[in-house]
Short mmCIF file of all heavy atoms in Angstrom, two decimals:
data_model
loop_
_atom_site.label_atom_id
_atom_site.label_comp_id
_atom_site.label_asym_id
_atom_site.label_seq_id
_atom_site.Cartn_x
_atom_site.Cartn_y
_atom_site.Cartn_z
N MET A 267 12.74 1.60 4.97
CA MET A 267 11.78 1.70 3.86
C MET A 267 10.70 2.66 4.47
O MET A 267 10.30 2.66 5.61
CB MET A 267 11.23 0.42 3.65
CG MET A 267 10.15 0.40 2.62
SD MET A 267 9.25 -1.23 2.15
CE MET A 267 10.50 -2.37 2.53
N ARG A 268 10.26 3.50 3.57
CA ARG A 268 9.15 4.35 3.88
C ARG A 268 7.90 4.26 2.83
O ARG A 268 8.13 4.21 1.64
CB ARG A 268 9.46 5.83 3.84
CG ARG A 268 8.53 6.87 4.24
CD ARG A 268 9.19 8.24 4.38
NE ARG A 268 10.09 8.68 3.49
CZ ARG A 268 9.86 9.28 2.32
NH1 ARG A 268 8.57 9.82 2.20
NH2 ARG A 268 10.86 9.57 1.45
N ILE A 269 6.81 4.01 3.30
CA ILE A 269 5.57 3.81 2.33
C ILE A 269 4.73 5.08 2.48
O ILE A 269 4.35 5.57 3.51
CB ILE A 269 4.68 2.66 2.81
CG1 ILE A 269 5.61 1.33 2.64
CG2 ILE A 269 3.53 2.51 1.91
CD1 ILE A 269 5.05 0.20 3.27
N THR A 270 4.45 5.62 1.31
CA THR A 270 3.52 6.71 1.30
C THR A 270 2.20 6.38 0.59
O THR A 270 2.33 5.64 -0.40
CB THR A 270 4.15 8.08 0.71
OG1 THR A 270 4.46 7.78 -0.64
CG2 THR A 270 5.26 8.46 1.39
N ILE A 271 1.11 6.95 1.02
CA ILE A 271 -0.16 6.56 0.51
C ILE A 271 -0.90 7.92 0.12
O ILE A 271 -1.03 8.74 1.09
CB ILE A 271 -1.11 5.86 1.50
CG1 ILE A 271 -0.43 4.50 1.80
CG2 ILE A 271 -2.51 5.58 0.84
CD1 ILE A 271 -1.07 3.67 2.77
N ASP A 272 -1.41 8.01 -1.08
CA ASP A 272 -2.28 9.17 -1.47
C ASP A 272 -3.70 8.74 -1.51
O ASP A 272 -4.21 8.24 -2.38
CB ASP A 272 -1.82 9.62 -2.91
CG ASP A 272 -2.53 10.89 -3.26
OD1 ASP A 272 -3.55 11.12 -2.69
OD2 ASP A 272 -1.97 11.45 -4.12
N ARG A 273 -4.41 8.86 -0.36
CA ARG A 273 -5.73 8.41 -0.28
C ARG A 273 -6.73 9.21 -1.10
O ARG A 273 -7.72 8.66 -1.31
CB ARG A 273 -6.05 8.57 1.29
CG ARG A 273 -5.44 7.37 2.10
CD ARG A 273 -5.76 7.52 3.72
NE ARG A 273 -7.18 7.69 3.91
CZ ARG A 273 -7.90 6.54 4.11
NH1 ARG A 273 -7.47 5.32 3.98
NH2 ARG A 273 -9.17 6.69 4.38
N ASP A 274 -6.25 10.39 -1.53
CA ASP A 274 -7.19 11.10 -2.50
C ASP A 274 -7.18 10.40 -3.94
O ASP A 274 -8.14 10.54 -4.63
CB ASP A 274 -6.71 12.49 -2.67
CG ASP A 274 -6.88 13.39 -1.42
OD1 ASP A 274 -7.86 13.04 -0.63
OD2 ASP A 274 -6.10 14.16 -1.07
N ARG A 275 -6.09 9.68 -4.24
CA ARG A 275 -6.03 9.00 -5.51
C ARG A 275 -6.65 7.50 -5.48
O ARG A 275 -7.05 7.09 -6.42
CB ARG A 275 -4.55 8.80 -5.88
CG ARG A 275 -3.99 10.02 -6.43
CD ARG A 275 -2.64 9.80 -6.90
NE ARG A 275 -2.80 9.50 -8.52
CZ ARG A 275 -1.80 9.70 -9.23
NH1 ARG A 275 -0.61 10.05 -8.89
NH2 ARG A 275 -2.15 9.54 -10.57
N CYS A 276 -6.61 7.01 -4.17
CA CYS A 276 -7.09 5.74 -4.09
C CYS A 276 -8.57 5.41 -4.54
O CYS A 276 -9.49 6.31 -4.25
CB CYS A 276 -6.97 5.25 -2.64
SG CYS A 276 -7.48 3.54 -2.33
N ILE A 277 -8.82 4.44 -5.29
CA ILE A 277 -10.21 4.14 -5.80
C ILE A 277 -10.76 2.67 -5.12
O ILE A 277 -11.64 2.32 -5.54
CB ILE A 277 -10.15 3.98 -7.33
CG1 ILE A 277 -9.30 2.86 -7.79
CG2 ILE A 277 -9.79 5.31 -7.87
CD1 ILE A 277 -9.30 2.53 -9.34
N GLY A 278 -9.91 2.23 -4.22
CA GLY A 278 -10.36 1.05 -3.41
C GLY A 278 -10.41 -0.23 -4.28
O GLY A 278 -11.14 -1.10 -3.98
N SER A 279 -9.47 -0.30 -5.22
CA SER A 279 -9.38 -1.57 -6.15
C SER A 279 -8.88 -2.85 -5.28
O SER A 279 -9.28 -3.95 -5.65
CB SER A 279 -8.58 -1.38 -7.35
OG SER A 279 -7.15 -1.33 -6.94
N GLY A 280 -8.21 -2.67 -4.11
CA GLY A 280 -7.73 -3.67 -3.44
C GLY A 280 -6.47 -4.49 -3.90
O GLY A 280 -6.11 -5.34 -3.26
N GLN A 281 -5.94 -3.85 -4.94
CA GLN A 281 -4.79 -4.54 -5.46
C GLN A 281 -3.54 -4.60 -4.48
O GLN A 281 -2.93 -5.58 -4.38
CB GLN A 281 -4.31 -3.97 -6.79
CG GLN A 281 -5.31 -4.05 -7.88
CD GLN A 281 -5.57 -5.59 -8.27
OE1 GLN A 281 -4.70 -6.22 -8.48
NE2 GLN A 281 -6.95 -5.91 -8.22
N CYS A 282 -3.47 -3.70 -3.63
CA CYS A 282 -2.45 -3.50 -2.63
C CYS A 282 -2.53 -4.62 -1.58
O CYS A 282 -1.62 -5.34 -1.13
CB CYS A 282 -2.38 -2.17 -1.99
SG CYS A 282 -4.06 -1.67 -1.29
N VAL A 283 -3.90 -4.86 -1.24
CA VAL A 283 -4.10 -5.87 -0.25
C VAL A 283 -4.02 -7.17 -0.81
O VAL A 283 -3.37 -8.12 -0.15
CB VAL A 283 -5.52 -5.69 0.38
CG1 VAL A 283 -5.93 -6.79 1.38
CG2 VAL A 283 -5.85 -4.23 0.90
N MET A 284 -4.36 -7.50 -2.02
CA MET A 284 -4.23 -8.73 -2.67
C MET A 284 -2.68 -9.09 -2.94
O MET A 284 -2.18 -10.20 -2.63
CB MET A 284 -4.84 -8.83 -3.93
CG MET A 284 -6.36 -9.00 -3.68
SD MET A 284 -7.30 -9.36 -5.16
CE MET A 284 -7.31 -7.74 -5.99
N THR A 285 -1.94 -7.99 -2.96
CA THR A 285 -0.40 -8.11 -3.31
C THR A 285 0.27 -8.36 -2.09
O THR A 285 1.28 -9.24 -1.98
CB THR A 285 0.22 -6.97 -4.13
OG1 THR A 285 -0.61 -6.76 -5.42
CG2 THR A 285 1.61 -7.07 -4.41
N ALA A 286 0.07 -7.53 -1.08
CA ALA A 286 0.78 -7.64 0.20
C ALA A 286 0.01 -7.41 1.41
O ALA A 286 -0.08 -6.43 2.16
CB ALA A 286 1.97 -6.59 0.32
N PRO A 287 -0.83 -8.53 1.63
CA PRO A 287 -1.73 -8.46 2.77
C PRO A 287 -1.16 -8.32 4.10
O PRO A 287 -1.91 -7.98 5.06
CB PRO A 287 -2.51 -9.72 2.62
CG PRO A 287 -1.57 -10.70 1.85
CD PRO A 287 -0.77 -9.81 0.96
N GLY A 288 0.14 -8.60 4.29
CA GLY A 288 0.72 -8.49 5.66
C GLY A 288 1.08 -7.01 5.85
O GLY A 288 1.27 -6.65 7.12
N VAL A 289 0.93 -6.07 4.93
CA VAL A 289 1.23 -4.69 5.06
C VAL A 289 0.07 -3.79 4.81
O VAL A 289 -0.15 -2.77 5.45
CB VAL A 289 2.39 -4.22 4.19
CG1 VAL A 289 2.74 -2.85 4.27
CG2 VAL A 289 3.72 -5.10 4.48
N PHE A 290 -0.83 -4.08 3.89
CA PHE A 290 -1.92 -3.23 3.45
C PHE A 290 -3.17 -3.78 3.81
O PHE A 290 -3.37 -5.01 3.86
CB PHE A 290 -1.89 -3.05 1.96
CG PHE A 290 -0.57 -2.31 1.57
CD1 PHE A 290 0.58 -2.91 1.17
CD2 PHE A 290 -0.57 -0.86 1.52
CE1 PHE A 290 1.71 -2.15 0.82
CE2 PHE A 290 0.57 -0.18 1.15
CZ PHE A 290 1.69 -0.82 0.80
N THR A 291 -4.20 -2.89 4.15
CA THR A 291 -5.52 -3.40 4.41
C THR A 291 -6.35 -2.18 3.84
O THR A 291 -5.83 -1.23 3.23
CB THR A 291 -5.67 -3.56 5.95
OG1 THR A 291 -7.11 -3.98 6.08
CG2 THR A 291 -5.65 -2.19 6.64
N GLN A 292 -7.74 -2.36 3.79
CA GLN A 292 -8.60 -1.31 3.43
C GLN A 292 -9.53 -0.88 4.69
O GLN A 292 -9.97 -1.76 5.47
CB GLN A 292 -9.50 -1.91 2.37
CG GLN A 292 -8.64 -1.94 1.09
CD GLN A 292 -9.63 -2.50 -0.08
OE1 GLN A 292 -9.94 -3.76 0.00
NE2 GLN A 292 -9.78 -1.88 -1.12
N ASP A 293 -9.79 0.40 4.71
CA ASP A 293 -10.64 0.88 5.80
C ASP A 293 -12.11 0.67 5.37
O ASP A 293 -12.45 0.07 4.43
CB ASP A 293 -10.30 2.35 6.07
CG ASP A 293 -10.53 3.27 4.99
OD1 ASP A 293 -11.39 2.99 4.06
OD2 ASP A 293 -10.22 4.47 5.07
N ASP A 294 -12.95 1.15 6.28
CA ASP A 294 -14.35 1.10 6.00
C ASP A 294 -14.84 1.62 4.74
O ASP A 294 -15.97 1.23 4.26
CB ASP A 294 -15.29 1.74 7.24
CG ASP A 294 -15.06 0.87 8.52
OD1 ASP A 294 -14.62 -0.26 8.43
OD2 ASP A 294 -15.30 1.55 9.53
N ASP A 295 -14.19 2.55 4.08
CA ASP A 295 -14.56 3.20 2.86
C ASP A 295 -13.83 2.54 1.73
O ASP A 295 -13.91 2.82 0.56
CB ASP A 295 -14.07 4.64 2.85
CG ASP A 295 -14.91 5.45 3.89
OD1 ASP A 295 -16.19 5.25 4.05
OD2 ASP A 295 -14.37 6.39 4.44
N ALA A 296 -13.18 1.40 2.00
CA ALA A 296 -12.32 0.61 1.14
C ALA A 296 -11.09 1.27 0.56
O ALA A 296 -10.56 0.90 -0.42
CB ALA A 296 -13.27 0.25 -0.16
N LEU A 297 -10.68 2.30 1.25
CA LEU A 297 -9.44 3.03 0.86
C LEU A 297 -8.19 2.35 1.62
O LEU A 297 -8.39 1.77 2.68
CB LEU A 297 -9.54 4.46 1.34
CG LEU A 297 -10.67 5.21 0.50
CD1 LEU A 297 -10.60 6.63 1.05
CD2 LEU A 297 -10.59 5.21 -0.98
N VAL A 298 -7.12 2.43 0.88
CA VAL A 298 -5.89 1.74 1.38
C VAL A 298 -5.56 2.32 2.76
O VAL A 298 -5.54 3.43 2.98
CB VAL A 298 -4.81 1.92 0.27
CG1 VAL A 298 -4.38 3.24 0.15
CG2 VAL A 298 -3.57 1.05 0.71
N ALA A 299 -5.04 1.46 3.52
CA ALA A 299 -4.46 1.81 4.90
C ALA A 299 -3.31 0.81 5.15
O ALA A 299 -3.26 -0.33 4.56
CB ALA A 299 -5.51 1.81 5.93
N LEU A 300 -2.48 1.16 6.08
CA LEU A 300 -1.36 0.22 6.49
C LEU A 300 -1.80 -0.58 7.67
O LEU A 300 -2.48 0.03 8.55
CB LEU A 300 -0.12 1.08 6.76
CG LEU A 300 0.60 1.78 5.62
CD1 LEU A 300 1.67 2.73 6.13
CD2 LEU A 300 1.17 0.72 4.73
N VAL A 301 -1.44 -1.82 7.74
CA VAL A 301 -1.68 -2.68 8.93
C VAL A 301 -0.90 -2.15 10.06
O VAL A 301 0.43 -1.88 9.99
CB VAL A 301 -1.26 -4.14 8.57
CG1 VAL A 301 -1.42 -4.95 9.76
CG2 VAL A 301 -2.24 -4.75 7.41
N ALA A 302 -1.57 -2.01 11.17
CA ALA A 302 -0.91 -1.55 12.39
C ALA A 302 0.32 -2.40 12.65
O ALA A 302 0.22 -3.57 12.76
CB ALA A 302 -1.86 -1.51 13.51
N GLY A 303 1.40 -1.69 12.94
CA GLY A 303 2.66 -2.42 13.37
C GLY A 303 3.51 -2.83 12.20
O GLY A 303 4.54 -3.33 12.32
N HIS A 304 2.97 -2.58 10.97
CA HIS A 304 3.65 -2.90 9.74
C HIS A 304 3.90 -1.77 8.82
O HIS A 304 4.08 -1.91 7.56
CB HIS A 304 3.05 -4.12 9.00
CG HIS A 304 3.03 -5.36 9.80
ND1 HIS A 304 4.10 -6.20 9.89
CD2 HIS A 304 2.02 -5.87 10.51
CE1 HIS A 304 3.75 -7.14 10.70
NE2 HIS A 304 2.42 -6.94 11.13
N GLU A 305 3.87 -0.47 9.48
CA GLU A 305 4.00 0.60 8.72
C GLU A 305 5.29 0.82 7.92
O GLU A 305 5.47 1.59 6.87
CB GLU A 305 3.82 1.94 9.54
CG GLU A 305 2.35 2.15 10.15
CD GLU A 305 2.21 1.20 11.42
OE1 GLU A 305 3.14 0.51 11.88
OE2 GLU A 305 1.04 1.42 12.08
N ASP A 306 6.17 0.01 8.27
CA ASP A 306 7.56 0.10 7.63
C ASP A 306 7.68 -0.83 6.53
O ASP A 306 8.77 -1.07 5.97
CB ASP A 306 8.69 -0.02 8.68
CG ASP A 306 8.66 -1.45 9.34
OD1 ASP A 306 7.68 -2.24 9.12
OD2 ASP A 306 9.51 -1.74 10.14
N GLY A 307 6.58 -1.66 6.21
CA GLY A 307 6.73 -2.70 5.10
C GLY A 307 7.06 -3.98 5.59
O GLY A 307 7.18 -4.85 4.72
N ALA A 308 7.64 -4.15 6.85
CA ALA A 308 7.88 -5.45 7.33
C ALA A 308 6.76 -6.40 7.29
O ALA A 308 5.62 -6.01 7.59
CB ALA A 308 8.52 -5.35 8.80
N GLY A 309 7.01 -7.76 7.02
CA GLY A 309 5.97 -8.69 7.18
C GLY A 309 5.54 -9.12 5.81
O GLY A 309 4.83 -10.22 5.77
N ASP A 310 5.91 -8.63 4.58
CA ASP A 310 5.52 -9.22 3.42
C ASP A 310 6.58 -8.86 2.39
O ASP A 310 6.87 -7.72 2.10
CB ASP A 310 4.24 -8.61 2.97
CG ASP A 310 3.44 -9.33 1.87
OD1 ASP A 310 4.16 -9.81 1.09
OD2 ASP A 310 2.26 -9.66 2.02
N PRO A 311 7.12 -9.86 1.75
CA PRO A 311 8.19 -9.72 0.75
C PRO A 311 7.67 -9.09 -0.46
O PRO A 311 8.41 -8.60 -1.33
CB PRO A 311 8.80 -11.14 0.55
CG PRO A 311 7.58 -12.05 0.95
CD PRO A 311 6.92 -11.42 2.03
N ARG A 312 6.40 -9.16 -0.86
CA ARG A 312 5.85 -8.65 -2.07
C ARG A 312 5.52 -7.14 -1.91
O ARG A 312 5.05 -6.61 -2.78
CB ARG A 312 4.63 -9.40 -2.42
CG ARG A 312 5.07 -10.83 -2.86
CD ARG A 312 3.95 -11.55 -3.52
NE ARG A 312 3.58 -10.89 -4.67
CZ ARG A 312 2.43 -11.20 -5.26
NH1 ARG A 312 1.57 -11.93 -4.67
NH2 ARG A 312 2.05 -10.46 -6.31
N VAL A 313 5.86 -6.44 -0.83
CA VAL A 313 5.48 -5.02 -0.51
C VAL A 313 6.12 -4.24 -1.76
O VAL A 313 5.43 -3.24 -2.14
CB VAL A 313 5.84 -4.53 0.78
CG1 VAL A 313 7.41 -4.46 0.86
CG2 VAL A 313 5.25 -3.28 1.13
N HIS A 314 7.21 -4.56 -2.35
CA HIS A 314 7.78 -3.74 -3.41
C HIS A 314 6.94 -3.89 -4.73
O HIS A 314 7.20 -3.00 -5.56
CB HIS A 314 9.31 -4.07 -3.51
CG HIS A 314 10.14 -3.68 -2.54
ND1 HIS A 314 10.38 -4.45 -1.47
CD2 HIS A 314 10.81 -2.46 -2.41
CE1 HIS A 314 11.20 -3.78 -0.55
NE2 HIS A 314 11.47 -2.53 -1.25
N ASP A 315 6.08 -4.91 -4.91
CA ASP A 315 5.34 -5.02 -5.88
C ASP A 315 4.12 -4.12 -6.09
O ASP A 315 3.41 -3.97 -7.14
CB ASP A 315 4.94 -6.53 -6.12
CG ASP A 315 6.06 -7.42 -6.39
OD1 ASP A 315 7.09 -6.92 -6.81
OD2 ASP A 315 5.93 -8.50 -5.96
N VAL A 316 3.71 -3.49 -4.88
CA VAL A 316 2.42 -2.83 -4.71
C VAL A 316 2.31 -1.62 -5.63
O VAL A 316 1.30 -1.31 -6.23
CB VAL A 316 2.10 -2.42 -3.23
CG1 VAL A 316 1.00 -1.61 -2.99
CG2 VAL A 316 1.87 -3.89 -2.46
N PRO A 317 3.32 -0.91 -5.67
CA PRO A 317 3.25 0.51 -6.50
C PRO A 317 2.79 0.13 -7.97
O PRO A 317 2.11 0.89 -8.57
CB PRO A 317 4.50 1.15 -6.49
CG PRO A 317 5.02 0.68 -5.09
CD PRO A 317 4.57 -0.71 -4.91
N MET A 318 3.34 -0.94 -8.50
CA MET A 318 2.99 -1.32 -9.89
C MET A 318 1.70 -1.99 -9.98
O MET A 318 1.01 -1.92 -10.98
CB MET A 318 4.21 -2.17 -10.38
CG MET A 318 5.36 -1.51 -10.60
SD MET A 318 6.75 -2.49 -11.32
CE MET A 318 5.96 -3.25 -12.71
N ALA A 319 1.20 -2.67 -8.97
CA ALA A 319 -0.16 -3.16 -8.91
C ALA A 319 -1.20 -2.36 -8.65
O ALA A 319 -2.29 -2.50 -9.18
CB ALA A 319 -0.25 -4.28 -7.68
N CYS A 320 -0.96 -1.23 -8.10
CA CYS A 320 -2.03 -0.17 -7.96
C CYS A 320 -2.42 0.43 -9.28
O CYS A 320 -1.52 1.08 -9.97
CB CYS A 320 -1.57 0.88 -6.95
SG CYS A 320 -2.83 2.17 -6.64
N PRO A 321 -3.61 0.42 -9.67
CA PRO A 321 -4.02 1.02 -10.92
C PRO A 321 -3.92 2.55 -11.08
O PRO A 321 -3.94 3.10 -12.20
CB PRO A 321 -5.49 0.56 -11.16
CG PRO A 321 -5.97 0.23 -9.97
CD PRO A 321 -4.77 -0.18 -8.98
N VAL A 322 -3.91 3.23 -9.93
CA VAL A 322 -3.78 4.67 -9.93
C VAL A 322 -2.69 5.34 -9.23
O VAL A 322 -2.53 6.45 -8.97
CB VAL A 322 -5.13 5.31 -9.20
CG1 VAL A 322 -6.31 5.04 -10.10
CG2 VAL A 322 -5.25 4.88 -7.89
N GLN A 323 -1.66 4.39 -8.94
CA GLN A 323 -0.40 4.73 -8.46
C GLN A 323 -0.64 5.58 -7.05
O GLN A 323 0.09 6.61 -6.82
CB GLN A 323 0.56 5.50 -9.23
CG GLN A 323 1.12 4.60 -10.44
CD GLN A 323 0.19 4.37 -11.54
OE1 GLN A 323 -0.54 5.30 -11.92
NE2 GLN A 323 0.13 3.09 -11.92
N ALA A 324 -1.49 5.01 -6.22
CA ALA A 324 -1.68 5.62 -4.89
C ALA A 324 -0.70 5.38 -3.90
O ALA A 324 -0.63 5.94 -2.76
CB ALA A 324 -3.10 5.32 -4.40
N VAL A 325 0.16 4.37 -4.08
CA VAL A 325 1.22 3.90 -3.20
C VAL A 325 2.53 4.11 -3.59
O VAL A 325 2.77 3.79 -4.83
CB VAL A 325 0.95 2.37 -2.87
CG1 VAL A 325 2.01 1.95 -1.90
CG2 VAL A 325 -0.45 2.12 -2.24
N ALA A 326 3.43 4.63 -2.89
CA ALA A 326 4.85 4.81 -3.28
C ALA A 326 5.73 4.28 -2.26
O ALA A 326 5.31 4.35 -1.02
CB ALA A 326 5.19 6.27 -3.58
N ILE A 327 6.70 3.68 -2.55
CA ILE A 327 7.76 3.13 -1.62
C ILE A 327 9.19 3.72 -1.92
O ILE A 327 9.58 3.81 -3.01
CB ILE A 327 7.88 1.57 -1.72
CG1 ILE A 327 6.48 0.97 -1.40
CG2 ILE A 327 8.84 0.98 -0.84
CD1 ILE A 327 6.29 -0.52 -1.44
N PHE A 328 9.70 4.24 -0.71
CA PHE A 328 11.06 4.90 -0.76
C PHE A 328 11.95 4.04 0.07
O PHE A 328 11.68 3.76 1.21
CB PHE A 328 10.89 6.25 -0.46
CG PHE A 328 9.96 7.04 -1.27
CD1 PHE A 328 8.72 7.27 -0.85
CD2 PHE A 328 10.48 7.62 -2.39
CE1 PHE A 328 7.84 8.02 -1.51
CE2 PHE A 328 9.58 8.38 -3.09
CZ PHE A 328 8.25 8.57 -2.69
N GLU A 329 13.11 3.75 -0.51
CA GLU A 329 14.18 3.11 0.46
C GLU A 329 14.87 4.15 1.17
O GLU A 329 15.42 5.17 0.59
CB GLU A 329 15.10 2.27 -0.39
CG GLU A 329 14.50 1.06 -0.93
CD GLU A 329 13.86 0.07 -0.09
OE1 GLU A 329 14.48 -0.12 1.02
OE2 GLU A 329 13.00 -0.68 -0.44
N ASP A 330 15.03 4.17 2.47
CA ASP A 330 15.70 5.23 3.31
C ASP A 330 17.11 4.87 3.43
O ASP A 330 17.71 3.94 3.25
CB ASP A 330 15.15 5.26 4.75
CG ASP A 330 13.76 5.70 4.68
OD1 ASP A 330 13.45 6.49 3.74
OD2 ASP A 330 13.00 5.40 5.68
#
């Protein structure tokens, strides 16, 4: 699995973190970031729900 983030689109709503806290976090500017060591989406079964939860579609997930 490959996760891509468009930080220019991110508005800091935090829906990604609330949906899959084991994979997503927010930086000091409240923008989406990946939790270190979980960049491949491992650690949270709801990671596939994040693209739909994001109000501006700043997160995309691709199966390799």
Side-chain angles (χ1 to χ4, degrees):
M267 173 183 338
R268 181 171 44 97
I269 301 171
T270 61
I271 297 172
D272 185 344
R273 291 175 50 88
D274 291 330
R275 286 188 94 152
C276 182
I277 60 171
S279 72
Q281 295 302 309
C282 54
V283 178
M284 288 189 285
T285 303
V289 177
F290 295 93
T291 189
Q292 289 176 293
D293 65 13
D294 292 339
D295 296 321
L297 298 178
V298 62
L300 293 169
V301 173
H304 297 281
E305 293 87 353
D306 62 354
D310 198 313
R312 294 191 56 204
V313 70
H314 287 88
D315 297 334
V316 171
M318 290 180 53
C320 179
V322 294
Q323 289 76 48
V325 178
I327 296 177
F328 302 95
E329 294 296 331
D330 292 333

